[in-house]
Amino acid sequence: MSAPSSLPRRRLIVAFAPENAFAPMARSMLARLGYAIVPVEELSLLPGDPSQHRPQLRLVDEGRLARVPPDDPGEPPVPIVLLTRRSPAATRDPRIIGAVRKPAGMHELYRVIQQIFEEKPRSTPRVDTELAARCRMGEREWPVALLCLSENGCLLRSREPLPLGSRVELVFELPQGERVETEAEASYLLISDLGMVFHATPAAKRQAIQTFVARQLLDA
């Protein structure tokens, strides 16, 4: 694992787990979303006062649970998400608040971390984009731009008015050549841009969007 000192971090997440407990590139992609996962062996490499390096979450391989130190007296317990191949029900450690099947993937970890930390958690990550698209509504069809994209929706800029609640057929092509056609609903407005929620997107197309988002995170 690479030294964490240069990674962006909103929360200190410490891993008591080997590299193979994570899916390939999972940690790299989460770091680009602001969730750097620091191996416990590399805590001493973090800049600043070591006393300030108390984690807010621990990701712990099931085989290393006994290595996790007890919490400091008077401090709230640091929650643990167990990385496991089976149900964690056999352990009675009260710090365990969740589990992810290993090797832990980026999307599974993202959902759990969001639920723990964020007041309004997201189920899927999003990335900024500059993709041309087209909207269809009845006999009308017009060009639009996708400014942000996730598996579940997008932020859309349209010269044509589109009232909230409107449903359109949205068509766009991902850089890897995958064409996506999905129904989308205008669910919120940000200045001149519309937040669209996808409906009934075919599984293969959702996977294509997910792959695109992951690649964009790695290239950021």
Side-chain angles (χ1 to χ4, degrees):
M1 295 187 186
S2 59
S5 57
S6 61
L7 295 176
R9 188 179 69 247
R10 293 185 302 178
R11 311 281 187 174
L12 179 53
I13 303 172
V14 173
F16 286 76
E19 184 69 36
N20 62 11
F22 298 93
M25 309 310 296
R27 290 178 58 245
S28 297
M29 289 185 284
L30 284 166
R32 286 163 172 77
L33 291 166
Y35 299 113
I37 299 171
V38 181
V40 65
E41 298 85 359
E42 298 179 10
L43 271 179
S44 61
L45 302 179
L46 291 176
D49 186 347
S51 66
Q52 302 300 314
H53 297 162
R54 186 174 189 270
Q56 292 166 284
L57 175 67
R58 292 181 174 121
L59 303 178
V60 182
D61 185 276
E62 59 188 343
R64 299 189 179 184
L65 187 59
R67 303 185 191 181
V68 179
D71 292 304
D72 296 330
E75 294 282 356
V78 178
I80 289 174
V81 171
L82 207 62
L83 308 182
T84 179
R85 295 192 186 279
R86 59 181 185 274
S87 170
T91 178
R92 297 184 179 181
D93 192 318
R95 298 172 296 177
I96 297 175
I97 62 170
V100 174
R101 184 176 176 83
K102 64 178 184 180
M106 185 271 285
H107 291 278
E108 293 77 14
L109 288 168
Y110 180 81
R111 291 187 181 101
V112 170
I113 291 170
Q114 282 271 306
Q115 290 292 332
I116 293 169
F117 286 143
E118 307 301 336
E119 184 176 345
K120 297 181 179 180
R122 297 184 181 277
S123 60
T124 56
R126 63 166 81 182
V127 291
D128 293 335
T129 60
E130 295 181 359
L131 297 178
R134 298 193 70 82
C135 279
R136 298 175 187 151
M137 180 184 285
E139 299 298 318
R140 296 170 56 209
E141 182 173 333
W142 67 98
V144 295
L146 301 191
L147 308 181
C148 188
L149 181 65
S150 79
E151 180 186 341
N152 293 335
C154 66
L155 189 64
L156 178 150
R157 181 165 294 168
S158 171
R159 294 181 179 179
E160 295 286 329
L162 195 59
L164 292 178
S166 300
R167 290 202 178 195
V168 299
E169 289 297 319
L170 184 64
V171 182
F172 58 95
E173 187 171 298
L174 297 171
Q176 63 262 37
E178 185 82 26
R179 180 181 171 91
V180 177
E181 296 188 30
T182 186
E183 183 178 320
E185 179 180 350
S187 63
Y188 63 90
L189 180 67
L190 292 173
I191 312 299
S192 59
D193 303 326
L194 284 162
M196 310 293 290
V197 175
F198 297 158
H199 294 280
T201 309
K205 303 304 181 183
R206 293 176 69 91
Q207 181 61 50
I209 295 172
Q210 191 178 99
T211 299
F212 167 72
V213 170
R215 287 177 178 172
Q216 292 294 105
L217 288 171
L218 288 175
D219 292 341

